[in-house]
Amino acid sequence: MTPPTRSIDDLRAEVDQINRELLKLLSQRGAVVAQIGHAKTQEGRPNHYDPAREDQQLKELEALNEGPFTAAAVKAIFKEIFKASLDLEESNDKKQLLVSRKVKVEDTVLDIDGVRIGGDAPPVIIAGPCSIESEEQMEQTAAFLAARGVKILRGGAYKPRTSPYGFQGMGVDGLILGSQVAQANGMLFVTEVMDTRDVEIVAEHADILQVGARNMHNFALLREVGRARRPVLLKRGLSATIEEWLYAAEYILSEGNPEVILCERGIRTYEKWTRNTLDLSAVALAKQETHLPVIVDVTHAAGRRDLLIPLAKAALAVGADGIHVEVHPSPATALSDNEQQLDFAGYERFIGALQAQLKQPVGV
């Protein structure tokens, strides 16, 4: 006996019911996906897309497909579902990141012993030699910079060098020296920490801990400086994306330390005429996406003295909260990076050119 033919309205009603069931299942799937995204964030896994996992699911669905849709059609449908799920994972992740403006709308303004960084505070200058080399060098530099209104003295006690035979820094002696001359001149002292084992001793002497470009992906170090309860200057990695940079900052904030300064210092490209390529779009984007202060290290971006003034002007124009520049009494005799450091006369020209953008008087 031939079954009775169903009406179009009846069939459409069934399709409508199936649509509702599909939507309910998609919503359930989305809720699970969101939990997966949260779990990845908790584990410190910034990359949500897993191509191997996607391929595994598509192959399983293709094997289970009994029609009437073709394998290609099923694959296309589920790829769209996967894409929407990935977007959901990433958007939910961004909402809950401590660095995000979606979590904290207003600018974070650091107040480190009266030195304000970020928000409506005037742009700061962080200056000093690449490496701490001697007492005379540091005393001369600190006195010169302090007399010109610089409140933050930089200097490397531990130096990450490409060659293992290059000058590696003075170590603890350099920390003590840098801290002493900074205090004597009413300045803060910032220096790089390279190893989790050194965080405690560096934090004992430095007012701000610097995590260098080569260590931006050193997650154990990021967590350790987060626990040190000292402000942290986090440089962007040599080839790091903006997202990876912000996730690195998230490691520090997740340990309970909200005092993080992001530092753009140029990224590695194929360009040979500069040491790195300064990415000013990253500064503007970081200011939009995060509430943290963002400064620019023009010295490491350029690697050459003649570009420091225009790069610093451009950095301040896009909203940087400060400029990081290397200054040495005698760059020609410096033990590291002598071709990119300013001498005192060069710094006078540099700061004079920026005076209008710094929103404050320069010098005494």
Side-chain angles (χ1 to χ4, degrees), residues 24-274:
K24 184 178 180 180
L25 288 170
L26 284 172
S27 297
Q28 290 176 0
R29 187 184 195 280
V32 174
V33 162
Q35 292 179 51
I36 292 172
H38 180 68
K40 286 181 178 177
T41 300
Q42 294 296 104
E43 293 176 8
R45 296 162 59 184
N47 295 322
H48 290 274
Y49 178 57
D50 185 343
R53 167 68 176 155
E54 180 178 291
D55 186 59
Q56 173 195 350
Q57 292 178 88
L58 290 173
K59 285 180 178 177
E60 181 180 354
L61 291 165
E62 186 176 359
L64 293 171
N65 180 33
E66 297 179 354
F69 292 114
T70 64
V74 169
K75 184 176 181 179
I77 292 168
F78 275 91
K79 281 184 77 70
E80 286 300 313
I81 293 173
F82 295 163
K83 182 179 182 301
S85 299
L86 178 62
D87 291 343
L88 181 64
E89 272 193 55
E90 293 179 339
S91 63
N92 282 346
D93 197 15
K94 288 179 181 177
K95 286 178 186 176
Q96 65 194 13
L97 287 179
L98 296 172
V99 299
S100 174
R101 280 205 185 271
K102 294 177 181 177
V103 171
K104 184 174 184 284
V105 177
E106 68 277 8
D107 289 333
T108 289
V109 181
L110 276 64
D111 190 329
I112 312 170
D113 293 338
V115 179
R116 298 175 72 246
I117 306 171
D120 60 355
V124 297
I125 296 292
I126 300 174
C130 174
S131 302
I132 297 172
E133 300 167 359
S134 68
E135 184 175 357
E136 181 183 12
Q137 169 226 25
M138 291 303 293
E139 288 179 344
Q140 287 181 9
T141 306
F144 170 81
L145 293 172
R148 282 146 188 84
V150 176
K151 297 295 184 183
I152 306 177
L153 176 70
R154 66 141 285 123
Y158 299 93
K159 296 302 301 178
R161 306 304 304 280
T162 301
S163 169
Y165 306 111
F167 176 61
Q168 305 292 313
M170 293 177 63
V172 175
D173 289 340
L175 291 176
I176 296 171
L177 179 55
S179 176
Q180 287 177 345
V181 297
Q183 289 181 24
N185 288 275
M187 305 170 80
L188 302 176
F189 176 47
V190 56
T191 192
E192 182 170 355
V193 57
M194 295 170 51
D195 195 304
T196 55
R197 296 167 294 183
D198 297 327
V199 171
E200 184 176 359
I201 185 66
V202 176
E204 182 180 333
H205 296 283
D207 300 289
I208 304 171
L209 307 180
Q210 176 181 306
V211 175
R214 290 174 175 84
N215 270 316
M216 194 209 79
H217 287 296
N218 185 339
F219 303 125
L221 180 61
L222 296 175
R223 290 194 183 280
E224 198 65 30
V225 297
R227 300 185 191 110
R229 299 300 183 267
R230 286 284 191 189
V232 178
L233 191 155
L234 176 64
K235 289 197 171 185
R236 184 181 177 188
L238 301 176
S239 302
T241 65
I242 297 170
E243 183 179 45
E244 289 170 335
W245 187 25
L246 297 186
Y247 271 112
E250 186 74 8
Y251 269 93
I252 300 169
L253 268 70
S254 69
E255 293 297 330
N257 184 354
E259 295 190 305
V260 175
I261 306 162
L262 298 172
C263 181
E264 162 63 32
R265 42 81 71 203
I267 53 175
R268 179 171 290 170
T269 68
Y270 52 80
E271 182 54 63
K272 298 293 186 182
W273 283 17
T274 55

Side-chain angles (χ1 to χ4, degrees), residues 271-302:
E271 182 54 63
K272 298 293 186 182
W273 283 17
T274 55
R275 178 169 178 170
N276 294 291
T277 298
L278 181 57
D279 184 4
L280 291 178
S281 64
V283 179
L285 267 171
K287 293 286 289 182
Q288 287 184 15
E289 294 293 326
T290 179
H291 50 86
L292 299 174
V294 184
I295 69 168
V296 174
D297 176 354
V298 291
T299 297
H300 284 90

Side-chain angles (χ1 to χ4, degrees), residues 305 308 325-329 331 340-344 346-347 350:
R305 285 181 282 268
L308 298 183
V325 63
E326 290 185 351
V327 180
H328 191 287
Q340 67 187 29
Q341 299 183 70
L342 293 172
D343 61 15
F344 291 170
Y347 180 78
F350 175 82

